[in-house]
Amino acid sequence: MSEQDICVIVPTIREYECMEAYVANAREHGFDTDRLFVVLVTEDFCDTDEMAAMLDDLGVDGAVFDGTAREEWFAEQGASEYSHLIPEASHAQTSFGLLYMWANERFDYGVFIDDDTLPHDDEDFFGTHMANLAYEGEIESRASDGSWVNVLDDADGDLYPRGYPYAAMDEELERDTEHVDDVVASQGLWTNVPDLDAVRILMDGDLQGQAQTRTSADDFGEDFVAAEGQYLTVCSMNLAFRREVIPAFYQLPMDDNRWDVGRFDDIWSGLFLKRACDVLGKQVYNGGPLCEHNKAPRSTFDDLQNEVAGLELNEHVWEVLDDAGADADSYRDVFAAMAEALATGDFEEWNNGEFLNYCGEYMTDWLDCLDTIEPTAADTVEVPADD
């Protein structure tokens, strides 16, 4: 049996069967599924027995964690005081998967998959991500005069992804080539429904939370990295990463907060990651493998309601982080510096500015939680599920 070194993290309350397609894709392309351990992060109102049975039928190891199982896991780790780090009923529960990875040293790699996606049949999903993480050589490097790189720049229609600051639009993009030798994250992009925010979806003329514009494989050019000092949106629906980034990759406590800020968990964690990469000389690879994003219809105005509380903060949070941890020599130290900048900053001039102080406090708790959890090399298989 191969070493089980990849933790696949899927936040889900509906379409968990997407894993059938991802496992089938791996086998079709000769990728060794014995390397995979699937963590389904769900809620108490979901049928966890059914989820566990699906993993068993697929012949892949895994674990199912609803809210009750997560609380039990924190208690087993002696870390119950940190269970607040994982918000209820939020996509940001992907952070629980990061903690599970941290506690199990056998995992060298993590993969985030959203349950409304499917792999492209003609692409080796897991194999391509692993090849990207191992890539050394020349690659296209992008930069702009606004310090932001649009990952949808090659697509027609002037699309900007969810989380891209409005003030950074209409940038002058420069393309160059650079040598990369330490890739720590691989962001696969998406066909069909582009990942847009609600304002941009409305501008695209769609009231069903999707977009009138659709993307295809032809809309994406060469794989690329964002140059040092440049930011980009990092979406966790199709993302692989090395274990080492976990201290600087916390998905913030969205949705379950008194300011009702939501929808920026992966976006802001991407800012943390990119800042840490720039300080430490690492890279984030972007492009393939593509996935098909089949976002279910829902009210665009509901998404807008979830996003509007954080829209102004999103225009500025990257500026707060931009000079943090310049002399740091580890992900933990860079993240600690970013946490302090947010926790102690005065952001009263921005709507819901106190939320950034709140995030900084949670970021400090994240590091303390990682210190509390004792990583083990145990290879026991867990499939906790409520009867």
Side-chain angles (χ1 to χ4, degrees), residues 7 9 73 93-103 110 112 241 243 245-246 249-251 366 370:
C7 187
I9 300 162
W73 184 87
Q93 289 174 345
T94 45
S95 281
F96 178 79
L98 297 180
L99 293 177
Y100 187 86
M101 275 187 65
W102 193 253
F112 285 150
F241 52 91
R243 173 190 181 84
V245 308
I246 290 175
F249 205 35
Y250 175 48
Q251 319 282 295
W366 175 254
L370 294 180

Side-chain angles (χ1 to χ4, degrees), residues 25-36:
N25 175 276
R27 290 178 174 146
E28 179 68 24
H29 289 277
F31 189 86
D32 186 357
T33 56
D34 286 343
R35 295 180 64 185
L36 306 178

Side-chain angles (χ1 to χ4, degrees), residues 7-43:
C7 187
V8 182
I9 300 162
V10 187
T12 182
I13 58 172
R14 284 183 294 270
E15 306 295 335
Y16 55 87
E17 298 93 343
C18 71
M19 281 311 303
E20 296 173 354
Y22 282 98
V23 172
N25 175 276
R27 290 178 174 146
E28 179 68 24
H29 289 277
F31 189 86
D32 186 357
T33 56
D34 286 343
R35 295 180 64 185
L36 306 178
F37 186 93
V38 180
V39 174
L40 301 179
V41 188
T42 188
E43 297 294 346

Side-chain angles (χ1 to χ4, degrees), residues 40 51 57 65-66 87 118 134 163 186 194 202 232 265 270 273-274 317 321 330 334 342-343 347 353 367 387:
L40 301 179
M51 294 180 182
D57 290 344
F65 287 96
D66 58 15
L118 293 171
S186 166
L202 289 172
L232 74 165
D265 48 308
L273 177 62
K274 185 55 167 67
V317 64
L321 307 175
S330 69
V334 180
L342 291 173
F347 309 120
L367 294 176
D387 294 330

